[in-house]
Structures are given as structure tokens and as C-alpha cells.
Amino acid sequence: MSAQRMSDSLESIDKANHYDDFCCFHESKNHRFRVFWEITRTCNLNCRFCFAAVDGRDLADADLLKLAYKMIDNGVRDVVISGGEPLCRSATMDIISCLRKAGVEVDICTNGTLIDRPVAHGLAEHLTEISVSLHGASPELHDGTVGR
């Protein structure tokens, strides 16, 4: 990121006077129409602080898509998808696409480790926002925290 872009970004944050404007957990304009959806408990990391447990109790992909359609039918306008690690699920891109085609804003919270060039292009095409977690100021601290 260039120094000018960094300066512009920091200036935008200062003007907003509210962290919520820059976080996937910010307040929705339509509070009752926002859903925080943990689509899986599966994760490819082993973070020391995480409460997600891989226990084989995830819903089937078809059931996740049915829930996406129910959200659309019930007027949900904003969905934050998380997990575990949502990109571990094969249906994640289908769910995002389904919601976006219906005009639903979709944010995703991810650890970012499964994002390669094709995944990045797919996400960029459909997402409203993406949040990637970082858990340390150095690679060593981050990797120690996430069990790598």
C-alpha cells in the first residue's frame, strides 16, 4: 500500500469517528435484517483461543442452501458468514452467489489461508466485505497463536 493510500485510509477512519464503519461486525443499517451465520465448525487451523470444535455436526451443503433461501424469503438484507473457517466448506461460494443474486450484502470472516488467486477472484466478484484475521505483529507470533 502506498504512503498516500495509507494516509487516505487513516484519514477516512479519523473522519468516521467509529470503528464500526471498518469492521464486519459493524452495526447494520437494517438491524433486524442482519444475520451472523457460522456455516461450519471446521477449520484448517488450531487457534489457542477459538471455541469452534470440529465435531462432525455441520449441516449438509443442501441444508445450508435451503437456509440461504429462507433468509432471502424472510427479508434478510445482510449476512456475515464465518465459522470455523467458512472457506473449508465446498458450498461457501454457492451460498455467497445465491445470496448476492438476491441482493443480499455478504461479508465473510476468514483466516485467509485458503485464498489463492481463483478463490480471491471469486470472492471479489460477490462479496461486499472480507475480514481476514491476523493474530500477531510478526509471522512467528501469529503462527504460534493459530497453531501452525
Side-chain angles (χ1 to χ4, degrees):
M1 177 180 284
S2 73
Q4 183 59 48
R5 281 186 62 201
M6 178 68 83
S7 176
D8 291 346
S9 295
L10 293 173
E11 187 175 317
S12 296
I13 292 170
D14 288 340
K15 286 181 182 177
N17 291 324
H18 206 274
Y19 174 75
D20 287 345
D21 294 335
F22 299 95
C23 175
C24 70
F25 299 109
H26 61 81
E27 292 184 20
S28 173
K29 293 180 178 111
N30 300 311
H31 297 270
R32 62 191 174 126
F33 297 113
R34 177 171 242 198
V35 171
F36 290 86
W37 190 12
E38 294 182 357
I39 65 169
T40 185
R41 296 175 69 137
T42 300
C43 187
N44 60 324
L45 297 178
N46 188 24
C47 300
R48 292 186 289 170
F49 55 83
C50 189
F51 59 87
V54 178
D55 59 10
R57 294 176 42 192
D58 282 350
L59 292 175
D61 291 348
D63 292 331
L64 291 174
L65 282 168
K66 286 179 189 175
L67 284 172
Y69 284 113
K70 283 189 179 204
M71 289 180 206
I72 293 165
D73 292 343
N74 285 291
V76 171
R77 304 304 321 144
D78 193 0
V79 175
V80 177
I81 295 175
S82 66
E85 171 50 48
L87 296 177
C88 285
R89 292 299 301 255
S90 60
T92 299
M93 294 304 288
D94 293 335
I95 293 165
I96 292 169
S97 179
C98 168
L99 292 167
R100 288 299 292 150
K101 285 178 183 173
V104 177
E105 290 189 18
V106 181
D107 306 344
I108 193 168
C109 298
T110 175
N111 62 38
T113 60
L114 301 175
I115 300 175
D116 56 15
R117 190 171 298 274
V119 171
H121 286 292
L123 293 173
E125 184 178 335
H126 295 293
L127 288 179
T128 307
E129 183 175 309
I130 184 169
S131 296
V132 178
S133 57
L134 297 174
H135 303 292
S138 70
E140 297 80 18
L141 182 57
H142 171 83
D143 289 353
T145 302
V146 300
R148 291 179 90 184

